[in-house]
Amino acid sequence: MELRVLRYFLTIAREENITRAAQILHITQPTLSRQIQQLEEELKVTLFQRSRHRIVLTEAGMRLKLRAQDLIELADRTKREMEQKDEIISGEISIGCGETRNFRFLANVMEGFQDTYPEVYFSIYTGIADDVTERLDRGLLDFGLLIEPVDISRFQFIRMPEEDCWSVLLPKNHRLAEQKSISPCDLVDEKLILAGRRSVNNQLEHWFGPYADQLKQATYMNLSLFNKCVLVEEGVGLALTLDFCYVPDGLVMVPMDPPIRNGAFLVWKKNHFLSPTMARFTDAVRRALEGVRTKQGQKGNRRPAGPE
């Protein structure tokens, strides 16, 4: 199975038309058809269902498409890394991120890094920790920005400066909107929108304590603060989510009591060769963290105003 043929296969899958795919690939239609037929014979499966006007993937074809995309992406990334000169800081840094306040810190580091090394560009993949760690393991990401609870034992890591606090997202006209905080007993009769990750829900179930069995659960979902806002606005339920500043005017976030605070980590694979570009980036993150700690120390050492 050659990468070239997998690229042919993906082009046909995208275009759903072998004539158009052949034109894009600059090869003849009979040649393309023969390559796909040989691939099907090699794999002993049928990859496409054919009709007069279009061709669509079979179930086996859809499985191959997922694998082929990963293989092509990994091959392209490897080629770019091999082409990179040892002392030239350039190329791609790929980061998988959850939705965390620490992304602003990381974005500031990225902006300063690109000022220093303008030939570096970033690609950002947004996903829950399970998705990000899987892509790290497969070599499809350089770094992951992961939010607790998460197992980082198999990664190198840098702890990020902020903690994310959990809140309840609800309409401003809701009976709980004026409270300074929301306790587990306040949510017993409410439909709730909970996180999709099992480890996060274990954390929330512990927070609910004896009230956990009395809850009305509306739905589960991962990430996407925007979609959570839409669900809350449409009355699907109240969302338990990490606290963010950007919410629509008709909604409000109320802190949970007792509070749940989650740290975050920038991680990368242990015993993994860091290219010069990646190594410089981790150095930039550490320097930025030292700057944050210095500012925090200065604030902590300030003496209160007043008479000597």
Side-chain angles (χ1 to χ4, degrees):
M1 186 169 22
E2 300 179 27
L3 288 174
R4 170 179 55 83
V5 179
L6 290 179
R7 293 183 193 275
Y8 292 171
F9 163 75
L10 288 174
T11 303
I12 297 173
R14 184 183 68 241
E15 297 299 322
E16 297 185 343
N17 184 290
I18 198 164
T19 301
R20 193 158 56 243
Q23 294 170 346
I24 292 171
L25 293 167
H26 304 293
I27 59 176
T28 65
Q29 181 176 332
T31 299
L32 182 57
S33 297
R34 187 168 58 254
Q35 294 283 353
I36 296 303
Q37 182 180 357
Q38 291 173 353
L39 179 61
E40 289 179 320
E41 291 172 355
E42 178 184 355
L43 298 176
K44 297 181 175 58
V45 296
T46 300
L47 297 173
F48 294 102
Q49 292 178 341
R50 296 162 173 84
S51 67
R52 282 195 305 172
H53 302 294
R54 64 194 288 249
I55 57 177
V56 295
L57 291 169
T58 63
E59 184 177 346
M62 288 186 283
R63 290 199 303 271
L64 179 61
K65 180 182 176 183
L66 293 175
R67 295 297 185 187
Q69 288 171 331
D70 285 352
L71 288 169
I72 295 299
E73 184 178 349
L74 185 57
D76 290 343
R77 284 176 54 79
T78 302
K79 181 180 178 182
R80 289 194 297 269
E81 289 177 5
M82 293 301 100
E83 291 174 344
Q84 184 176 318
K85 301 294 187 293
D86 286 344
E87 297 303 320
I88 295 179
I89 308 303
S90 63
E92 176 190 20
I93 297 177
S94 59
I95 306 174
C97 299
E99 291 180 339
T100 165
R101 287 177 175 269
N102 289 283
F103 188 69
R104 182 177 293 279
F105 165 83
L106 200 61
N108 287 332
V109 176
M110 292 161 57
E111 190 271 337
F113 196 77
Q114 284 186 312
D115 282 348
T116 305
Y117 305 109
E119 294 186 15
V120 172
Y121 65 96
F122 292 90
S123 60
I124 306 299
Y125 171 85
T126 301
I128 62 172
D130 299 342
D131 296 334
V132 172
T133 54
E134 181 183 354
R135 292 178 72 86
L136 283 167
D137 288 337
R138 283 154 50 194
L140 302 177
L141 291 171
D142 297 318
F143 298 98
L145 181 59
L146 306 180
I147 310 164
E148 293 177 318
V150 64
D151 178 14
I152 59 170
S153 60
R154 66 183 190 276
F155 297 110
Q156 295 281 90
F157 65 89
I158 300 173
R159 180 178 283 275
M160 294 289 98
E162 291 196 56
E163 289 184 325
D164 293 291
C165 298
W166 281 83
S167 294
V168 181
L169 178 67
L170 66 166
K172 283 185 176 178
N173 60 1
H174 192 276
R175 65 181 180 85
L176 300 174
E178 297 299 322
Q179 294 189 185
K180 292 184 178 180
S181 63
I182 291 178
S183 300
C185 61
D186 297 323
L187 299 174
V188 167
D189 294 324
E190 300 291 341
K191 294 185 299 180
L192 300 178
I193 302 167
L194 302 177
R197 281 179 63 203
R198 185 64 226 168
S199 59
V200 174
N201 277 322
N202 288 340
Q203 186 180 38
L204 293 175
E205 286 177 13
H206 178 74
W207 180 80
F208 278 111
Y211 299 98
D213 294 333
Q214 304 177 44
L215 301 178
K216 297 178 181 178
Q217 296 169 354
T219 188
Y220 291 93
M221 69 176 300
N222 295 324
L223 297 179
S224 184
L225 181 62
F226 174 79
N227 288 346
K228 287 180 183 176
C229 289
V230 171
L231 291 175
V232 174
E233 287 176 326
E234 295 301 320
V236 175
L238 309 184
L240 275 62
T241 183
L242 297 178
D243 184 16
F244 289 96
C245 302
Y246 308 112
V247 294
D249 289 339
L251 303 180
V252 64
M253 282 186 163
V254 179
M256 292 162 57
D257 181 34
I260 303 178
R261 298 185 178 92
N262 290 351
F265 305 88
L266 183 71
V267 306
W268 62 97
K269 290 175 71 174
K270 278 185 178 178
N271 305 318
H272 178 66
F273 170 75
L274 288 182
S275 69
T277 301
M278 292 168 60
R280 293 287 181 92
F281 181 68
T282 58
D283 290 342
V285 172
R286 290 188 176 98
R287 286 196 301 272
L289 280 170
E290 285 300 318
V292 170
R293 294 187 185 111
T294 299
K295 289 181 180 177
Q296 291 174 342
Q298 290 172 346
K299 289 180 181 179
N301 291 331
R302 286 177 184 167
R303 298 179 64 182
E308 293 293 329

